[in-house]
Amino acid sequence: MVKWLRVWNMRLMEERTLQVTIGKISEINRYPIKSFAGERLTSCQIETYGMLGDRFGAFYDEAKSGWWRYVTARNMPNMLTYQASYLNGDIQIKAADGRIFGWNEALLKEIQSQTKTPLTMSRLKEQHPEHPHLLSVDGASILLITDASLRKLERLHGKDLDQRRFRGNFVVALDDDACSEGEWIGRQIAIGEVQLQVDSYCERCMMITIDPDSLDKDPSVLKKVNESFDLQFGVYASVVQTGQIRLGDTVKLL
C-alpha cells in the first residue's frame, strides 16, 4: 500500500509539473448566427462540438457550394447590426431599431429585403456536411485569441482595435512570460473544467476590416495581419473534455 501511494504521489506531482499556467480568460463571446453580432458572457458550457449556443445557424446562397454558399458580412456588412442571443435553447435576434425576431421566416424576409441574392436559412444545430462532429457553420470548434497578439497588432496598426473584429470565442490574457498561441498548436490546454486540443492557426479574411459598431471598412487591418502575422491570427481548438468555462479561469498548457 505504501509503495502504491508513493507511485501515485509521484504521478500526481509529474502531472502538476506538466501543467504550466499561461494566462486567464478575459473575454467570452458567443456568436449564435454566422456574421450577426454576438453576446458577451460571464460563463459558458462547452459541448463536444464547441460552445453551447455558438454558430447554430447561417444564411446560404444555394446557387453556390462549399464555403462560398455562406452569405456573410463580407457581402452584407449590415448583418453585423443584428444581435443574436441564445436563450434557453432558442435563438433571439434583435435588430438595430429594437425589433425582435426568432430564427424563422420573418427573419429570412427581413434579411432577404437587403439583397438580390436568393437566401435560405440553415436548420438550427444541423451537422456540418463535411465535419459531422461540428455544427452547421464552421470547420473548427472554438476560436481563441490573445491580448498579447491584439496589442502587437494595435502597435503596428497605430490604432485601437475591438477584439470583436476577430470573433474569438475566448480572449486569453497572457502572463508576461507565457508562450504565444502559435506554440500551443499540437498541444492541449486546460481552462476550468475543460480541455481543448489546439489544432491550427486561424487564417483571416476581409471580415476583420469591418468595425463591429460603425461598419466602416479599414483594409489596412488585414494588410497588417498579412505583413506581420502571415494572415494567421488566433488559433482553432477542438474539444477533448466538456464542462464550464468562466471569466477569470486560468489557462494551462498541458
Side-chain angles (χ1 to χ4, degrees), residues 32 63 121 133 143 150 161 187 215 233 245:
M121 305 169 77
H133 60 292
L143 177 58
L150 185 59
L161 294 169
R187 301 179 65 178
L215 306 186
F233 194 88
I245 293 179

Side-chain angles (χ1 to χ4, degrees), residues 82 93-101 110 114:
Y82 294 84
I93 310 295
K94 185 177 182 180
D97 59 8
R99 287 175 298 149
I100 302 297
F101 297 89
E110 168 77 8
Q114 301 172 45

Side-chain angles (χ1 to χ4, degrees), residues 149-157 161 166 224-225:
S149 289
L150 185 59
R151 288 197 302 266
K152 178 181 177 181
L153 180 57
E154 287 176 331
R155 289 195 299 270
L156 294 168
H157 186 245
L161 294 169
F166 306 95
K224 288 297 181 184
V225 172

